[in-house]
Amino acid sequence: MSLSFDTTYKDLDSNLYSRVTPEDINNPEILLLNEDLCDGLGLNKEDLNSQILSGQKLLEEPIAQAYAGHQFGNYTVLGDGRAMILGEHVHDGSRYDIQLKGSGRTPYSGRGDGNATVSSMLREYIYSYAMKNLGIKTSRSLAVIETDESVQRRRTEPGAILVRVMRSHIRYGTFQYVASQASEELEEFTDYVIDRHYPHLNNKDKKYTDFFDEVMRSSIDMVVDWMRVGFIHGVMNTDNMSIDGETFDYGPCTFMNYYDEDAVFSSVDKRGRYSFGNQKPILKWNLGRFAESLQQLFQESSHAFDELEAKLDNFEEIFDAKYYSMMRKKLGIKSDGEEAIVDAFLDWLRESRADYTNTFIELETPGSFDDPVYSSEDFKHIRDELSGIGLDGKMMKKTNPRYIPRNYLIEETLNEYLEKENLSKFKDLLNVLENPYESKDANSQFQQPPSEKFDSEYTTYCNT
């Protein structure tokens, strides 16, 4: 079948979005098409030509969504400055936003040009592909379309459009926008989101309190999963936090190599606000802002809002329980508790700065890596302690990836395309990341961390 749109967001108040038109492109070219995702959406790939995927042939009038957000702690009114939702595709009872990213200016573009570079769209494609196969809830990339425009960022590159798929693009910042700019619409909008994402709450007596709790728990699950694989989102502004717990907006993101809770690679994060180890407290801070945006729903009962705030007070307990459960699985520990050995292991990681991904493989199968850190007495001691209560191989294999999209590998693949218009390295890395939990001797080079010098100098950028 072809795309089948039923765009319910247009039934909401028109202050929440703008009708838009993608910019004209003379010769759009499909660089990548995610055939597995086509199948999952019930789409016939033969029906998805470059004219449809670049927004040149429209099935209905696209929209750009308005939203707000705290960006590095500062509140700003925003909106889709270079993104347009073509429509909501419905398949097998599920609803998906089909969005174009890099398709031209919108009323929310400000001084931006509405475009995107081909390297940034290829980057998002491979990160979202990896996250999906790592078992993490994420936006998906249906296609990358190269345009005939040149886009100037840090260097001049071909332009590109990413076709992004999500359950919706509603975020904490959408609620902040509605609460501050269209407050009379807040109840109707919240009911719409509940009906779309959490319909089981519709008949609850305290559905708005329960809604907050569900969003909080789905967000905790997301961030704990990030920490399981060493992912650093890099720009956890409230406008980048999905109401459905989907990871999205792969801008200055990275995967951590050497364990460092202060690890941050974004060029704009000078103070480490969104460092690897700070993702938990930032999530709680963001949830506090989300709670504030819902406060008007409780005007008739301050006690009811107190109950919502009590849900937020449970954040630490819920997060820590999920985090320690995740770490026990990574260490192959079947029993509950055992926080002390997990903490001791984390202390060793902090001290040794060992490669995060490879350490769990080495614990599971000693001798996997020729790295002096794994010959130290301290590592042998911690492994001996773990062997008495954990290191269950079956459990560890399900939880610990063999491969991640390491930063230097990403850069190699992108540079090859920019310099030679060759996607062979990119596709080789995609092939490895298709099954990141399966070891293959032929892929051992993809397990090698970069030099510490590379890591210390590596920088990612938002304005891609």
Side-chain angles (χ1 to χ4, degrees):
M1 73 183 241
S2 59
L3 289 166
S4 175
F5 289 157
D6 172 37
T7 307
T8 58
Y9 208 87
K10 292 179 180 177
D11 296 333
L12 297 170
D13 189 271
S14 60
N15 289 321
L16 307 187
Y17 61 88
S18 294
R19 296 178 184 272
V20 291
T21 303
E23 67 180 3
D24 292 335
I25 302 169
N26 290 326
N27 299 297
E29 176 189 352
I30 299 176
L31 287 186
L32 295 166
L33 181 65
N34 190 331
E35 295 186 8
D36 286 343
L37 182 53
C38 284
D39 292 341
L41 296 172
L43 298 174
N44 185 342
K45 65 179 182 179
E46 281 72 27
D47 293 334
L48 298 176
N49 58 50
S50 61
Q51 293 294 309
I52 290 175
L53 291 174
S54 63
Q56 304 307 291
K57 181 179 179 181
L58 297 174
L59 303 180
E60 62 175 56
E61 190 176 21
I63 62 170
Q65 292 180 337
Y67 52 85
H70 278 85
Q71 299 195 316
F72 290 87
N74 300 307
Y75 180 78
T76 310
V77 176
L78 302 155
D80 287 328
R82 60 169 179 171
M84 305 176 186
I85 293 174
L86 289 179
E88 295 167 19
H89 174 70
V90 180
H91 174 63
D92 279 352
S94 294
R95 183 176 299 276
Y96 306 89
D97 280 0
I98 308 297
Q99 185 194 68
L100 302 186
K101 185 175 179 181
S103 52
R105 287 178 54 80
T106 77
Y108 314 112
S109 295
R111 291 177 293 175
D113 59 17
N115 297 321
T117 62
V118 68
S119 67
S120 64
M121 299 300 91
L122 288 172
R123 181 189 298 273
E124 177 153 346
Y125 187 101
I126 203 164
Y127 272 114
S128 60
Y129 182 85
M131 293 288 271
K132 164 64 170 59
N133 293 329
L134 287 165
I136 298 171
K137 200 171 180 181
T138 178
S139 65
R140 306 285 302 280
S141 297
L142 181 61
V144 176
I145 313 298
E146 190 167 272
T147 72
D148 56 359
E149 286 199 43
S150 294
V151 178
Q152 178 64 49
R153 294 294 184 264
R154 289 180 299 121
R155 54 186 171 185
T156 301
E157 295 183 27
I161 294 170
L162 182 84
V163 186
R164 183 161 69 184
V165 179
M166 290 184 70
R167 294 285 184 175
S168 86
H169 286 79
I170 300 166
R171 51 198 90 196
Y172 295 6
T174 318
F175 279 85
Q176 292 180 285
Y177 179 87
V178 177
S180 64
Q181 306 296 313
S183 59
E184 69 282 0
E185 301 296 327
L186 183 60
E187 183 172 353
E188 180 181 346
F189 178 73
T190 305
D191 288 344
Y192 168 81
V193 176
I194 290 173
D195 192 54
R196 183 165 175 176
H197 288 293
Y198 301 98
H200 58 283
L201 299 180
N202 273 323
N203 296 319
K204 297 281 188 178
D205 292 337
K206 301 177 180 179
K207 69 175 181 179
Y208 297 139
T209 303
D210 292 340
F211 168 58
F212 175 82
D213 189 56
E214 292 261 8
V215 172
M216 180 177 72
R217 289 174 184 271
S218 66
S219 299
I220 288 173
D221 287 341
M222 177 183 70
V223 173
V224 168
D225 247 348
W226 292 355
M227 301 186 80
R228 175 174 63 85
V229 298
F231 178 75
I232 306 168
H233 185 276
V235 61
M236 287 179 67
N237 300 328
T238 56
D239 54 290
N240 291 331
M241 302 300 296
S242 161
I243 215 72
D244 191 35
E246 290 177 277
T247 309
F248 80 112
D249 201 7
Y250 293 95
C253 68
T254 49
F255 277 75
M256 179 175 62
N257 294 296
Y258 306 101
Y259 190 83
D260 179 6
E261 290 167 7
D262 294 328
V264 59
F265 296 93
S266 171
S267 63
V268 296
D269 194 359
K270 303 298 185 184
R271 299 182 179 179
R273 178 180 175 89
Y274 299 138
S275 65
F276 177 74
N278 214 37
Q279 293 180 124
K280 170 190 170 183
I282 284 297
L283 174 58
K284 184 178 182 182
W285 191 91
N286 287 346
L287 284 163
R289 308 293 74 74
F290 174 52
E292 290 168 358
S293 73
L294 299 178
Q295 190 164 7
Q296 296 174 54
L297 298 173
F298 299 88
Q299 286 182 337
E300 295 181 3
S301 172
S302 60
H303 174 69
F305 188 71
D306 290 343
E307 291 181 345
L308 186 149
E309 291 186 310
K311 296 287 188 183
L312 184 58
D313 289 341
N314 293 331
F315 173 90
E316 299 282 346
E317 181 181 349
I318 295 169
F319 191 102
D320 288 350
K322 288 178 179 287
Y323 177 79
Y324 277 105
S325 175
M326 175 272 290
M327 286 300 299
R328 286 195 298 271
K329 291 175 183 175
K330 285 184 74 67
L331 294 170
I333 300 172
K334 293 184 176 180
S335 56
D336 293 335
E338 307 297 352
E339 283 87 353
I341 187 64
V342 172
D343 288 340
F345 172 74
L346 291 171
D347 286 341
W348 178 83
L349 276 176
R350 294 184 189 103
E351 183 69 25
S352 68
R353 288 178 51 85
D355 183 82
Y356 185 62
T357 301
N358 289 351
T359 292
F360 295 96
I361 301 172
E362 183 69 23
L363 283 171
E364 181 189 322
T365 309
S368 294
F369 300 100
D370 183 19
D371 187 328
V373 75
Y374 302 133
S375 300
S376 69
E377 291 302 316
D378 286 343
F379 180 74
K380 292 177 182 177
H381 175 71
I382 198 76
R383 191 182 187 284
D384 286 343
E385 282 198 54
L386 285 166
S387 64
I389 58 171
L391 302 185
D392 179 84
K394 188 175 181 181
M395 180 182 290
M396 295 178 77
K397 280 184 170 66
K398 289 182 178 179
T399 311
N400 298 310
R402 273 53 190 157
Y403 310 103
I404 57 171
R406 292 188 182 270
N407 309 326
Y408 76 98
L409 295 174
I410 294 284
E411 296 304 323
E412 286 179 3
T413 67
L414 299 178
N415 286 334
E416 183 182 56
Y417 183 73
L418 291 175
E419 294 168 7
K420 301 178 181 178
E421 294 188 1
N422 188 336
L423 283 172
S424 60
K425 283 188 176 181
F426 189 93
K427 290 180 178 179
D428 286 345
L429 186 53
L430 282 181
N431 184 57
V432 170
L433 295 171
E434 183 178 3
N435 296 296
Y437 295 95
E438 292 184 11
S439 291
K440 296 179 181 178
D441 291 340
N443 295 332
S444 60
Q445 74 270 25
F446 294 97
Q447 294 179 316
Q448 298 304 313
S451 67
E452 292 200 47
K453 183 176 185 296
F454 175 93
D455 238 31
S456 66
E457 298 174 352
Y458 185 64
T459 305
T460 56
Y461 300 88
C462 281
N463 62 339
T464 49

